């Protein structure tokens, strides 16, 4: 049986905050795939194929922080350690953190809200979630730039 | 309150959602696992010192790594399926096949990684 497509245009559906966050979750996921891909390709360009072991390459791909490659004592053969800690990777990591924290904490909030009946508690939790998101982004970026 | 649901735990466990339901549940569990790990990791680096390194010990343990790698890899692969199906709704007709492809990608990668984690743990 050929099911008829029941897709509504965005104008008919309305565009409220929930729809925005639904879309944001998808788009931030795509952005994180892109960040990870740039990290992986960049690491290979910087010589990861011969200088970095696979486990560290994966750690770097999840977050382009130079400590993820340079702190490992078995890897003293990194030739261009400055390149791994460059400004480009700091900004790339900050972008990654911002997307990851907002995507993750919004996800956490929507899982919790599915099990909460009290509207007041949900409203308070949203504010707590927003504050927590901003705090964690700030802490993450601080760690990335100072470590 | 529009959210009143009278479904007992027994009914909920009997719900035959099969494959799609399983991915939905694992996606949630995986997401929570990643939030826990990333939160711990960021805070451990921020706090540093003795407290930081004792948190490090938890997530560097091989048992924790097996669980967290399941969470992360499943969330990443299943998330890609969700993004593709949601942004191109016409593909939803093939959602069963998409879930099969997803497991075909997930299982070999996770199996290899779990093997390496266990072998490293045993070899020291």
């Amino acid at each position: 049986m050929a099911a008829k497509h029941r897709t509504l245009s965005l104008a008919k559906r309305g565009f409220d905050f929930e729809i925005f966050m639904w879309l944001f979750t998808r788009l931030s996921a795509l952005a994180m795939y892109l960040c990870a891909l740039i990290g992986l390709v960049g690491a290979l360009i910087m010589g990861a194929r011969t200088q970095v072991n696979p486990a560290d390459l994966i750690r770097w791909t999840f977050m382009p922080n130079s400590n993820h490659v340079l702190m490992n004592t078995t890897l003293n053969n990194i030739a261009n350690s400055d390149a791994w800690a460059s400004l480009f990777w700091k900004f790339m990591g900050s972008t990654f953190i911002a997307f990851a924290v907002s995507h993750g904490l919004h996800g956490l909030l929507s899982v919790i809200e599915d099990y909460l009946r009290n509207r007041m508690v949900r409203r308070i939790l949203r504010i707590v979630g927003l504050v927590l998101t901003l705090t964690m982004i700030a802490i993450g970026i601080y760690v990335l730039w100072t470590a | 309150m529009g959210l009143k649901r009278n479904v007992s735990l027994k009914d909920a466990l009997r719900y035959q959602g099969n494959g799609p339901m399983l991915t939905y549940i694992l996606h949630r569990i995986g997401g929570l696992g990643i939030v826990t790990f990333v939160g711990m990791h960021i805070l451990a680096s921020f706090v540093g010192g003795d407290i930081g390194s004792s948190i490090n010990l938890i997530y560097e343990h091989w048992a924790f790594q097996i669980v967290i790698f399941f969470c992360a890899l499943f969330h990443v692969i299943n998330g890609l399926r969700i993004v593709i199906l949601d942004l191109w709704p016409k593909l939803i007709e093939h959602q069963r096949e998409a879930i099969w492809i997803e497991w075909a990608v997930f299982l070999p990668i996770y199996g290899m990684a779990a093997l390496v984690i266990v072998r490293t743990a045993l070899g020291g």
Side-chain angles (χ1 to χ4, degrees):
Chain A
M1 50 174 193
K4 195 171 174 291
H5 287 301
R6 290 187 299 172
T7 46
L8 280 176
S9 70
L10 208 56
K12 279 182 192 158
R13 201 185 302 157
F15 196 76
D16 59 1
F17 180 70
E18 295 307 318
I19 301 270
F20 172 77
M21 284 315 286
W22 179 89
L23 195 61
F24 173 78
T25 307
R26 271 80 190 156
L27 294 183
S28 61
L30 274 183
M32 284 189 284
Y33 290 115
L34 188 64
C35 285
L37 193 66
I38 292 173
L40 181 66
V41 172
L44 290 170
I45 291 173
M46 291 187 295
R49 191 176 68 83
T50 52
Q51 295 176 356
V52 177
N53 70 33
D56 286 340
L57 184 59
I58 292 171
R59 293 208 297 163
W60 167 272
T61 305
F62 277 115
M63 173 51 62
N65 171 10
S66 58
N67 283 344
H68 281 167
V69 216
L70 303 177
M71 263 166 86
N72 196 327
T73 46
T74 59
L75 292 168
N76 295 327
N77 55 346
I78 293 272
N80 47 346
S81 54
D82 286 347
W84 295 80
S86 72
L87 216 57
F88 173 77
W89 292 121
K90 287 229 163 47
F91 277 112
M92 186 56 75
S94 308
T95 312
F96 209 149
I97 284 182
F99 277 129
V101 172
S102 46
H103 178 108
L105 287 179
H106 174 258
L108 177 65
L109 218 57
S110 41
V111 171
I112 294 175
E113 280 185 352
D114 277 359
Y115 302 93
L116 279 183
R117 287 191 185 163
N118 191 319
R119 188 173 294 185
M120 198 60 203
V121 176
R122 273 187 278 141
R123 185 158 295 172
I124 294 170
L125 216 62
R126 289 228 159 174
I127 298 168
V128 173
L130 183 64
V131 173
L132 204 62
T133 304
L134 296 175
T135 316
M136 285 306 281
I137 291 176
I139 291 178
I141 290 177
Y142 171 82
V143 167
L144 193 71
W145 284 75
T146 53
Chain B
M1 300 290 152
L3 275 183
K4 198 161 168 57
R5 288 161 297 188
N6 289 316
V7 179
S8 68
L9 183 65
K10 208 178 82 203
D11 287 337
L13 290 177
R14 231 180 358 196
Y15 174 65
Q16 299 282 319
N18 298 330
M21 182 67 179
L22 184 67
T23 59
Y24 161 81
I25 292 288
L26 289 179
H27 197 76
R28 296 205 142 189
I29 295 173
L32 293 179
I34 297 171
V35 165
T36 311
F37 165 68
V38 174
M40 278 168 77
H41 188 51
I42 292 177
L43 289 178
S45 330
F46 180 62
V47 176
D50 285 344
I51 304 171
S53 34
S54 60
I55 302 176
N56 277 347
L57 284 181
I58 300 174
Y59 61 69
E60 282 174 4
H61 194 272
W62 64 269
F64 191 93
Q65 289 193 342
I66 283 192
V67 176
I68 201 63
F69 193 66
F70 182 93
C71 291
L73 192 67
F74 189 84
H75 200 85
V76 165
I77 293 175
N78 191 52
L80 190 58
R81 175 185 68 88
I82 293 174
V83 169
I84 292 172
L85 291 185
D86 277 354
L87 295 186
W88 287 274
K90 282 188 177 160
L91 293 176
I92 208 86
E93 274 177 34
H94 308 288
Q95 56 147 333
R96 298 266 168 184
E97 289 82 354
I99 290 174
W100 282 114
I101 295 171
E102 179 190 327
W103 284 111
V105 174
F106 173 81
L107 287 176
I109 300 178
Y110 182 70
M112 276 194 292
L115 197 72
V116 170
I117 293 172
V118 169
R119 257 182 36 193
T120 315
L122 293 179

